Amino acid sequence: MDSGRKGEAPRSSADAGRTDPHRWWGLVVIALAQLMVVLDATIVNIALPSAQHDLHMSDANRQWVITAYTLAFGGLLLLGGRVSDLVGRKRTFVVGLIGFAAASALGGAATSSGMLFGARALQGVFAALLAPSALSLLTTTFTDPRERGKAFGIYGALAGSGSAIGFIVGGLLTEYLNWRWCLYVNVPIAVVAVLGALALLRDHPGHRESRLDVPGVLLGCGGLVAIVYGFAEAEPRGWSDPLVIALFASGAVLLVAFVRWQSRAPSPLLPLHIVRDRNRAGCFLTMMLAVIGMFGLFLFMTYYLQVILGYSPVRAGLAFLPLTAAIIIGSTQISARLLQRVAPRLLMVPGMLLAASGLLLLTRMTVGSSYTGEILPALILMGLGMGLTFMPVFATATAGVAPRDAGVTSATVNTSQQVGGSIGTALLNTVATTSSAAYISAHLRGPASQAAVVPAGVVHGYTVAIAWAAGVMLLAGLVAGLMVTARAPGRGAPAETAVPESVG
């Protein structure tokens, strides 16, 4: 391209990204939608006891309020990413927003547990359209390296803090309105985001010459759903239950078949060159492992604050605010400023070490721990570590991707996040309950000791599971250090590479 021509010379994607006057307002729209999707994975957690009571759910079935969402979301993300590439990201984004709002309204109006489970599953379906289209719109809107760092800093902060914000909002809505508003709140957010998207977002048309990989959809999505479902059922049934084993086995077989099919499919759902790239593969794996540990923390700290320390829903939600603030600071004020100068892994590895150190502090929790003296420092360390990690993961995983693959790459990042969250919740909860039961049976000396032993046993289970989470965080740091070898964008890293212009 002759950059000396005036007027008639086509602009590069990077130039287009720098001259779009609405790009920062577009980021607000994208961030708003992403925040809605991420916080919805946790916003109903604090409201769950109230919803269970109103809709007469059994203890065995109440988990489906959470897992119906994560199953549909994690299992269908790859399909959502490919759909956004085929029909256009802006169109997919708007459809996802409208569908998510409708499903939220249906859930808020639920008159039975089955209706609520179905609405949560529908939310997951539309979130699987919305999340990858949002990230790929961000990828193709901000192609200038300096602006890209700032944009992904904001996006990474929301991705990391959205779950904690969900606890705060859920507590406020549950205590001062009722649990149904934890779902209704999505409707006005989605309306604002739809109007903003129609007015502000720009996109290339979809690549309609490609075909949807139907066998890939069935194999890949089926395998992910089976594995996530297996982890969801492992908690109530046990790891050795025949159904759980069958789900894991069938999921593994389907995913192996999926990989084999993708190597020869004419229009693959997940082009293998995306995951063969060492840096992207390292980012995907780092994200999944980090979220395993993070979701475990959210689960146990919610119950610890409300059940052990006796916090109200609002107070418990606000207790997560320092974690949220630390994630935002780590992502926007540290990672976003340093990524232009240092290699991504020099942010990811220290981030995971900080997060692991925060978790290790929490392993010293007791029934009488002080929030200010013992819990707060751990939450701040955890938040800074996650903020340092999320931003370079998103930026590196999506750097230099051709427009036709932006959606599926974004979907793979989100799939890592959702599958990691599902695995973390099921795996660490099983570790906690098993450890608690063993402690209580070993220390219980009769009815008189029950009042002291049972709470101590519950907290012991939490600390054992949090220690496991710390180990997973350290493993994430090791993966990032060994696999993510990209250089700093200012020194020729992929993040500096302009996204190739769309053909046609």
Side-chain angles (χ1 to χ4, degrees):
M1 182 183 300
D2 183 3
S3 59
R5 296 179 185 175
K6 297 181 180 180
E8 299 180 0
R11 293 181 302 168
S12 68
S13 295
D15 292 336
R18 282 191 295 266
T19 57
D20 181 0
H22 303 301
R23 61 192 181 280
W24 291 107
W25 284 109
L27 173 62
V28 172
V29 173
I30 295 168
L32 192 65
Q34 177 66 12
L35 178 63
M36 182 178 67
V37 169
V38 174
L39 67 82
D40 218 71
T42 57
I43 192 172
V44 299
N45 277 341
I46 289 179
L48 188 53
S50 299
Q52 181 182 0
H53 179 266
D54 282 358
L55 300 180
H56 309 291
M57 298 179 211
S58 68
D59 287 345
N61 288 335
R62 67 185 177 186
Q63 65 161 325
W64 286 106
V65 176
I66 307 299
T67 53
Y69 180 79
T70 56
L71 265 175
F73 193 2
L76 296 175
L77 267 166
L78 284 175
L79 174 61
R82 182 49 76 193
V83 168
S84 74
D85 285 333
L86 293 177
V87 305
R89 296 169 203 94
K90 179 178 175 179
R91 183 180 301 175
T92 307
F93 183 77
V94 171
V95 170
L97 283 169
I98 294 171
F100 196 90
S104 299
L106 180 65
T111 56
S112 66
S113 59
M115 184 175 175
L116 180 58
F117 299 157
R120 289 288 286 167
L122 271 178
Q123 280 186 304
V125 170
F126 286 105
L129 289 176
L130 184 57
S133 58
L135 183 53
S136 56
L137 278 169
L138 182 66
T139 302
T140 54
T141 298
F142 292 93
T143 53
D144 176 72
R146 193 173 301 276
E147 290 191 345
R148 183 185 177 89
K150 295 178 183 177
F152 273 94
I154 295 169
Y155 188 88
L158 288 173
S161 64
S163 297
I165 293 172
F167 286 115
I168 299 170
V169 175
L172 290 168
L173 293 174
T174 301
E175 189 157 329
Y176 293 112
L177 294 172
N178 61 53
W179 67 268
R180 296 180 184 276
W181 279 96
C182 292
L183 294 161
Y184 285 144
V185 71
N186 292 321
V187 177
I189 295 175
V191 169
V192 171
V194 167
L195 295 176
L198 293 175
L200 300 170
L201 296 182
R202 304 289 180 266
D203 187 28
H204 295 293
H207 297 273
R208 299 189 180 186
E209 72 278 4
S210 300
R211 299 293 181 86
L212 191 62
D213 178 17
V214 176
V217 170
L218 297 176
L219 292 171
C221 297
L224 285 174
V225 167
I227 288 177
V228 175
Y229 186 27
F231 277 106
E233 288 296 302
E235 179 188 348
R237 294 175 179 270
W239 295 100
S240 60
D241 184 83
L243 175 62
V244 174
I245 294 173
L247 285 168
F248 285 142
S250 60
V253 169
L254 287 171
L255 289 179
V256 169
F258 170 76
V259 172
R260 291 178 63 87
W261 169 250
Q262 294 306 284
S263 64
R264 60 178 184 272
S267 298
L269 181 66
L270 176 60
L272 293 184
H273 66 83
I274 290 174
V275 292
R276 285 195 186 112
D277 181 273
R278 178 173 181 163
N279 290 301
R280 289 195 187 99
C283 287
F284 298 150
L285 190 53
T286 299
M287 172 64 79
M288 186 178 72
L289 292 170
V291 173
I292 286 176
M294 186 175 74
F295 265 56
L297 171 74
F298 289 154
L299 177 69
F300 302 128
M301 290 310 300
T302 299
Y303 280 96
Y304 177 78
L305 293 170
Q306 291 192 73
V307 177
I308 303 299
L309 298 186
Y311 283 21
S312 68
V314 168
R315 191 179 178 191
L318 291 175
F320 285 99
L321 191 58
L323 172 71
T324 304
I327 291 175
I328 293 172
I329 291 170
S331 185
T332 62
Q333 301 304 310
I334 302 176
S335 280
R337 294 174 184 272
L338 293 180
L339 187 60
Q340 290 296 312
R341 302 179 180 89
V342 303
R345 65 177 171 183
L346 295 182
L347 295 171
M348 295 180 195
V349 174
M352 289 294 90
L353 291 176
L354 276 177
S357 66
L359 289 173
L360 288 173
L361 284 180
L362 290 175
T363 61
R364 302 169 61 186
M365 284 192 313
T366 65
V367 174
S369 289
S370 161
Y371 174 81
T372 304
E374 299 173 63
I375 308 302
L376 180 59
L379 293 181
I380 292 173
L381 285 174
M382 177 78 173
L384 287 173
M386 299 306 293
L388 280 173
T389 303
F390 273 126
M391 184 268 171
V393 164
F394 281 119
T396 306
T398 58
V401 178
R404 65 186 302 117
D405 290 330
V408 71
T409 304
S410 304
T412 308
V413 179
N414 281 284
T415 298
S416 302
Q417 195 173 358
Q418 292 303 316
V419 172
S422 300
I423 292 172
T425 301
L427 170 64
L428 297 177
N429 193 53
T430 300
V431 171
T433 53
T434 303
S435 300
S436 294
Y439 181 96
I440 292 169
S441 64
H443 292 80
L444 198 61
R445 298 291 182 265
S449 64
Q450 185 172 356
V453 170
V454 171
V458 170
V459 175
H460 172 76
Y462 294 166
T463 58
V464 172
I466 289 172
W468 278 60
V472 175
M473 288 287 189
L474 291 174
L475 180 59
L478 181 64
V479 168
L482 294 177
M483 294 187 65
V484 182
T485 59
R487 293 182 294 171
R491 299 179 182 178
E496 188 178 9
T497 306
V499 177
E501 290 182 288
S502 175
V503 177

